Amino acid sequence: MILLMFLTIIIAFAGVGVHGYLKGVMAQPYDSEKMMLNYERIGNGPKKMILLHGLTGSLKYWKAGLGELPDYSSYSLLLVDLLGFGDSPKPNSKYDLKEHLGAIEKVIKQEGFDDGDVMVVGHSLGSILAIGLVGEHPDWFQHLAIIGLPSYSGKEAIKTKLGKASLFDGVSVDSRYKFVCFFHPLYMTEWFRPNNIPKDIFRDAGKHTWVSYYRTLDNVIIDTDLRELASRIKDKKILLIHGENDAAAPIENVEVLLPIFTNSKFERLTNADHHVYLASPAKVWALINDFEKVH
């Protein structure tokens, strides 16, 4: 009887894994003409801001703290689910920097956020994409703010830095977790939710496929030459916000990049981890608001 129960569990576990694998590889190829990212436009104020979430995230990441945004009614906000995440399409595709940027650009142009008086804010993966957007279209944006920028010299560098990271943060930057993506229904439950991640954000973290996660991680976070990317916007007004206790994106790696930026402000936050926005949205928005006023 015990053996039968054990075999049943193994078969069920394997079935979930196979389904997760096939869901990624059997998805349709990416069609940039027909596939549009999921997004929300909030507000009709004169100040335009684009918000880009991190790996495994969704636009709900930002909605959790929008109530703390100073002078909220003066903003027009564009919240985007990145390609392969949240409620956006999840094709079997490259998920490289060019593809991600192209999908975001399509939304930006459709909503008129390309008029030159726009700020783009990105967290983690979204911070790399924010830099890429401004580098490709400097005339679209006035300035940008990036939070928790992940900078690594390769896969081995990631492996040596994740001893203190939670499973949720580990999934955000470590390709060894690609197999975990096969088993979303088994571990994306309340038992595994970190205390600092709200329920709705945690649920959305399970909406990606292993293809969208793994290829984005490798092709954008790991393989992007951040020095070269940063050099494209070196004179742009940029605010960098980083937690001192960020185990997923160590602060010392970002500090090495700081000399590249000639018109930047670096905010080093004590007792803050990778999810400083979720923990202290009022603090983050205050820093961004002050930065906007000065610049």
Side-chain angles (χ1 to χ4, degrees):
M1 185 66 180
I2 295 178
L3 179 60
L4 180 61
M5 291 177 61
F6 179 75
L7 289 174
T8 300
I9 293 173
I10 293 297
I11 292 172
F13 190 81
V16 171
V18 169
H19 178 267
Y21 174 80
L22 292 177
K23 185 178 180 180
V25 299
M26 298 298 288
Q28 293 182 345
Y30 179 52
D31 187 332
S32 60
E33 296 298 321
K34 296 181 180 179
M35 294 182 179
M36 173 66 78
L37 299 182
N38 177 62
Y39 67 91
E40 289 187 30
R41 181 167 178 166
I42 301 175
N44 294 296
K47 298 180 181 180
K48 293 182 178 180
M49 183 184 293
I50 301 168
L51 302 173
L52 305 176
H53 63 77
L55 195 66
T56 77
S58 73
L59 57 80
K60 288 182 181 177
Y61 193 90
W62 300 108
K63 294 178 78 171
L66 287 184
E68 303 293 342
L69 178 62
D71 198 15
Y72 180 83
S73 62
S74 67
Y75 282 91
S76 290
L77 304 172
L78 188 62
L79 286 65
V80 182
D81 277 342
L82 300 178
L83 184 67
F85 301 93
D87 291 324
S88 282
K90 300 168 184 67
N92 183 5
S93 195
K94 295 179 182 178
Y95 291 99
D96 58 11
L97 184 64
K98 181 179 179 181
E99 201 165 74
H100 274 291
L101 294 183
I104 299 168
E105 289 163 1
K106 186 177 178 182
V107 174
I108 290 175
K109 288 188 284 188
Q110 177 166 301
E111 290 300 317
F113 276 64
D114 57 349
D115 60 7
D117 192 22
V118 181
M119 182 176 194
V120 57
V121 180
H123 169 251
S124 196
L125 164 66
S127 63
I128 297 177
L129 298 177
I131 294 173
L133 279 173
V134 177
E136 289 290 326
H137 306 283
D139 55 321
W140 287 8
F141 307 101
Q142 281 287 341
H143 37 233
L144 68 160
I146 56 179
I147 307 166
L149 176 65
S151 176
Y152 289 99
S153 58
K155 293 182 180 180
E156 290 304 315
I158 289 179
K159 293 177 182 179
T160 60
K161 289 291 184 179
L162 285 176
K164 298 180 180 180
S166 67
L167 173 62
F168 189 87
D169 287 342
V171 168
S172 297
V173 293
D174 193 345
S175 60
R176 291 175 296 171
Y177 285 99
K178 71 173 180 177
F179 298 107
V180 176
C181 295
F182 299 167
F183 305 99
H184 282 159
L186 300 181
Y187 74 87
M188 293 302 295
T189 65
E190 186 64 15
W191 287 358
F192 293 92
R193 181 176 65 86
N195 292 331
N196 63 337
I197 307 297
K199 292 181 180 181
D200 58 340
I201 294 174
F202 185 67
R203 284 194 297 267
D204 268 17
K207 289 184 176 181
H208 63 276
T209 67
W210 74 270
V211 172
S212 63
Y213 156 69
Y214 181 60
R215 292 180 183 169
T216 297
L217 175 63
D218 268 9
N219 295 331
V220 180
I221 293 181
I222 295 176
D223 290 343
T224 295
D225 185 343
L226 270 181
R227 286 184 173 275
E228 191 279 329
L229 201 66
S231 68
R232 300 182 193 178
I233 65 164
K234 61 180 182 179
D235 298 325
K236 206 72 174 179
K237 301 168 185 176
I238 179 171
L239 171 65
L240 300 100
I241 301 173
H242 215 100
E244 287 187 344
N245 299 332
D246 192 332
I251 192 170
E252 60 267 24
N253 294 358
V254 178
E255 290 175 326
V256 173
L257 297 174
L258 293 179
I260 298 175
F261 303 112
T262 62
N263 194 8
S264 67
K265 183 177 182 182
F266 183 57
E267 292 287 352
R268 181 187 182 109
L269 304 184
T270 58
N271 301 317
D273 61 15
H274 196 56
H275 300 291
V276 57
Y277 175 76
L278 295 180
S280 306
K283 174 65 173 178
V284 171
W285 287 129
L287 291 173
I288 293 175
N289 185 58
D290 291 345
F291 177 75
E292 280 189 296
K293 289 180 179 178
V294 173
H295 294 78

